[in-house]
Amino acid sequence: MSNLTECKGCSASIWVKIDETYEKLKGTLIDEDAAAPKDVYENRLKICKTCPSLLYGTTCKHCGCLVHARALGKDNYCPEPSGRKW
């Protein structure tokens, strides 16, 4: 599985590495202690990448969130209606 994801908001020619995304997203938090550890974040994204409810490689069909942002919060969870995947 590739560690790249397409940015729906930009274009198919823009790519962001998951490693870069974690650090950039974490830096935007008011309280960086609210971020999940990097290994937890990456595992959550791995699960999301295999989910049939992932749209455009970035967006959760159930809540409309960008999965990269949702996976970052240590207290966040998967919104799958039939049961959380993480």
Side-chain angles (χ1 to χ4, degrees), residues 8-55:
K8 179 185 175 229
C10 300
S11 72
S13 64
I14 304 297
W15 295 91
V16 179
K17 290 184 180 180
I18 288 174
D19 290 345
E20 293 173 2
T21 301
Y22 176 81
E23 296 303 329
K24 288 178 182 177
L25 283 174
K26 186 176 174 186
T28 65
L29 295 175
I30 293 171
D31 178 8
E32 288 192 17
D33 291 333
K38 188 173 183 178
D39 62 325
V40 170
Y41 169 80
E42 289 175 346
N43 187 56
R44 289 174 175 180
L45 286 181
K46 188 180 291 187
I47 293 167
C48 289
K49 295 279 184 191
T50 64
C51 182
S53 299
L54 182 66
L55 305 174

Side-chain angles (χ1 to χ4, degrees), residues 54-82:
L54 182 66
L55 305 174
Y56 316 109
T58 58
T59 307
C60 177
K61 169 177 138 176
H62 301 292
C63 67
C65 71
L66 294 173
V67 295
H68 290 80
R70 187 171 194 94
L72 182 65
K74 71 178 175 185
D75 295 330
N76 290 350
Y77 56 88
C78 168
E80 170 65 48
S82 64

